[in-house]
Amino acid sequence: MSTVNTPTGPDCHAPGRRDAEATKAAILKAARHLLARQAHADITLKAVAERVGVSPPLILKYFGNKDTLFARVMSFETDADALLDAPLSDLGRHMARHVLASQRDRGADPLLRIAFAPLHGDHGEILRANFRAQVTERLAARLTGPDPGLRAELAVAALVGLGVMYGIARGPHLHRTDVDTVADRYGPLVQAQLTPGG
């Protein structure tokens, strides 16, 4: 009788793990998409599942329940990591470019979910609190000089406005202009709040 060696160790289920991670990411993306268009109370797990092409029980397997799923969706932490990933001296341009590239490439603005907070009742306050802690306060902590909190909020306000014009108003001039060109023109407006007088 011959012995069959079965692979063991951390990599033996790697493809399954990768598929699971891709499915989780797709579920989160679908939930973000719906949250930006509907009130939290009106979104069902079935609607999220249909958008992804999976079953509602699979969402429950990965996230436990609707509240746990939407707690993840209402977090800005991962988006803020990418949004703020540049030296302070070039952060305004980087953030403007990131907002536009996210819309263009993923159909999702890392900041724009905050504009829909009023739709979500009590959950809207969770969205606002996360936004303040994970985006504006985190940005303010990087700033030197007077009024860092105010300057961070003004910089982020400019970015949200850019996201609204690109993603909601669908400004035709913005859409037909190269992302880097817009970032070159809009970045200094944001940067003026980040390094005033610099």
Side-chain angles (χ1 to χ4, degrees), residues 2-76:
S2 63
T3 303
V4 177
N5 289 329
T6 305
T8 58
D11 295 327
C12 69
H13 298 295
R17 271 195 225 113
R18 280 195 296 272
D19 291 346
E21 291 306 312
T23 302
K24 286 180 190 175
I27 290 167
L28 289 168
K29 181 178 179 182
R32 281 190 187 104
H33 175 87
L34 293 171
L35 191 66
R37 289 156 180 82
Q38 298 176 39
H40 174 273
D42 296 336
I43 302 169
T44 64
L45 288 180
K46 182 179 180 210
V48 176
E50 286 174 355
R51 184 159 183 84
V52 181
V54 299
S55 67
L58 185 64
I59 296 177
L60 293 175
K61 175 185 171 188
Y62 287 146
F63 295 97
N65 58 44
K66 178 181 169 181
D67 286 341
T68 304
L69 170 63
F70 279 93
R72 289 274 303 273
V73 170
M74 289 183 180
S75 173
F76 292 88

Side-chain angles (χ1 to χ4, degrees), residues 27-184:
I27 290 167
L28 289 168
K29 181 178 179 182
R32 281 190 187 104
H33 175 87
L34 293 171
L35 191 66
R37 289 156 180 82
Q38 298 176 39
H40 174 273
D42 296 336
I43 302 169
T44 64
L45 288 180
K46 182 179 180 210
V48 176
E50 286 174 355
R51 184 159 183 84
V52 181
V54 299
S55 67
L58 185 64
I59 296 177
L60 293 175
K61 175 185 171 188
Y62 287 146
F63 295 97
N65 58 44
K66 178 181 169 181
D67 286 341
T68 304
L69 170 63
F70 279 93
R72 289 274 303 273
V73 170
M74 289 183 180
S75 173
F76 292 88
E77 199 159 357
T78 301
D79 293 323
D81 287 345
L83 181 72
L84 301 175
D85 186 25
L88 187 58
S89 60
D90 190 44
L91 191 55
R93 183 189 185 284
H94 168 80
M95 290 194 299
R97 188 185 190 292
H98 183 70
V99 164
L100 295 175
S102 295
Q103 281 278 4
R104 181 195 64 197
D105 300 341
R106 299 184 312 169
D109 186 312
L111 300 177
L112 208 50
R113 283 174 286 147
I114 194 60
F116 300 94
L119 289 177
H120 304 301
D122 292 342
H123 290 90
E125 192 47 48
I126 296 169
L127 201 61
R128 289 184 192 96
N130 287 347
F131 187 80
R132 286 190 296 267
Q134 297 165 357
V135 180
T136 56
E137 291 172 12
R138 186 170 162 193
L139 175 59
R142 290 187 61 185
L143 304 183
T144 58
D147 303 315
L150 174 61
R151 288 167 33 225
E153 289 180 2
L154 289 170
V156 172
L159 295 168
V160 171
L162 179 62
V164 167
M165 194 64 194
Y166 189 91
I168 296 175
R170 299 196 184 279
H173 299 282
L174 268 177
H175 272 268
R176 66 175 168 254
T177 303
D178 178 70
V179 164
D180 286 308
T181 300
V182 176
D184 288 342

